[in-house]
Amino acid sequence: MMNWYTKKKRRIQVDKIISHDDLAWDKDIINKSAGIKVEVSETEQRITINATSSRLASIVCGGIFFLAGIIFAYFTYTEAINSLDGKILSIICILFGGVLFIYSLVRPKRLFTFDRLNGTITYPETQANSINSIYFKDSEWVKKYSFAGRFYIGDCLALVQSNEYSTVTLLYNDFYSEWSYLVWFMDKNRPLPPGTIFDSIRKADYNRRKTDGFPPPLYNATILISEDKY
């Protein structure tokens, strides 16, 4: 069973800083990452990340339990396993597998939308099962450790919700380059980050910042970001 540690003492704050060491310059993160949708125009600049865990794994798991329940029920019916335990086990497997299979098909997607021009994040509340929106500058992100039982399986990046002990996970494992990319994207006072997906609006974005008088960056960066080209 997956156990996500959310105790405050295990949290590590992830600063909103663009890092030269973490940003992957040699690849277009946005174009090559699965589960990412980009909406760009002169008036809209949004990145939506699908953070839904794998449906396929849950579907297969549910199917296996359901099939196992059917097999147990068959042997119980034919009296090959003529015991109360066999009947109870078959019922549990059928119910658990069926519920997991159906839920895996109909469960809603967990989408994070980063709106560059409005400076907001829209994300799913884990407890209320609703959609919430906050300003990116006010968001608190933490690095968490994921475990399967007693075994450490990797790190993840999570957003802290209104309840400080409740978080919702966005990125898994090697998330630092993606995080740096998102921070750069969300700083509307800087040029758009690398990526051919943004080339069609670079000039319009430059003119917007020029009209605003090139306001200072919103977040610190340890790399030189030039205005030489849009």
Side-chain angles (χ1 to χ4, degrees), residues 14 39 52 58 61 121 127-128 164 168 196 226:
V14 181
E39 300 172 276
T52 310
S58 299
C61 184
I121 312 170
Q127 294 181 334
E164 67 175 19
V168 56
T196 56
S226 174

Side-chain angles (χ1 to χ4, degrees), residues 114-183:
F114 292 78
D115 191 318
R116 170 178 163 92
L117 298 182
N118 293 317
T120 60
I121 312 170
T122 302
Y123 68 94
E125 287 274 10
T126 56
Q127 294 181 334
N129 195 27
S130 61
I131 303 300
N132 194 17
S133 182
I134 61 173
Y135 286 107
F136 183 71
K137 64 182 178 62
D138 298 329
S139 63
E140 181 185 356
W141 297 84
V142 293
K143 176 182 177 182
K144 295 168 56 180
Y145 309 103
S146 59
F147 291 81
R150 295 178 177 271
F151 299 97
Y152 166 78
I153 60 174
D155 300 334
C156 62
L157 181 70
L159 171 65
V160 179
Q161 299 180 89
S162 54
N163 177 354
E164 67 175 19
Y165 288 98
S166 178
T167 61
V168 56
T169 301
L170 171 64
L171 300 170
Y172 293 88
N173 296 324
D174 298 328
F175 56 77
Y176 288 105
S177 59
E178 287 85 352
W179 173 245
S180 292
Y181 202 101
L182 285 171
V183 175

Side-chain angles (χ1 to χ4, degrees), residues 58-76:
S58 299
I59 291 173
V60 171
C61 184
I64 290 174
F65 272 97
F66 186 81
L67 181 60
I70 295 296
I71 293 174
F72 275 114
Y74 171 77
F75 283 117
T76 302

Side-chain angles (χ1 to χ4, degrees), residues 3-51:
N3 182 14
W4 299 101
Y5 283 89
T6 57
K7 293 182 179 179
K8 193 172 184 179
K9 64 180 181 180
R10 291 186 179 272
R11 293 181 179 181
I12 300 175
Q13 180 66 42
V14 181
D15 295 330
K16 290 186 280 287
I17 295 177
I18 304 168
S19 171
H20 181 273
D21 295 331
D22 297 332
L23 187 64
W25 290 94
D26 59 341
K27 62 181 180 180
D28 189 335
I29 297 174
I30 294 297
N31 285 352
K32 294 184 179 180
S33 296
I36 293 181
K37 178 183 179 182
V38 179
E39 300 172 276
V40 293
S41 68
E42 292 188 11
T43 57
E44 296 182 355
Q45 297 176 20
R46 293 193 292 263
I47 293 177
T48 299
I49 299 178
N50 182 359

Side-chain angles (χ1 to χ4, degrees), residues 186-202:
M186 289 299 290
D187 194 338
K188 67 178 182 179
N189 294 345
R190 294 187 185 275
L192 286 158
T196 56
I197 195 73
F198 300 123
D199 287 351
S200 62
I201 62 166
R202 290 190 187 280

Side-chain angles (χ1 to χ4, degrees), residues 206-226:
Y206 173 86
N207 290 333
R208 173 188 62 80
R209 289 181 286 107
K210 182 179 180 180
T211 300
D212 292 341
F214 293 114
L218 299 175
Y219 309 113
N220 295 328
T222 58
I223 57 176
L224 177 62
I225 299 177
S226 174

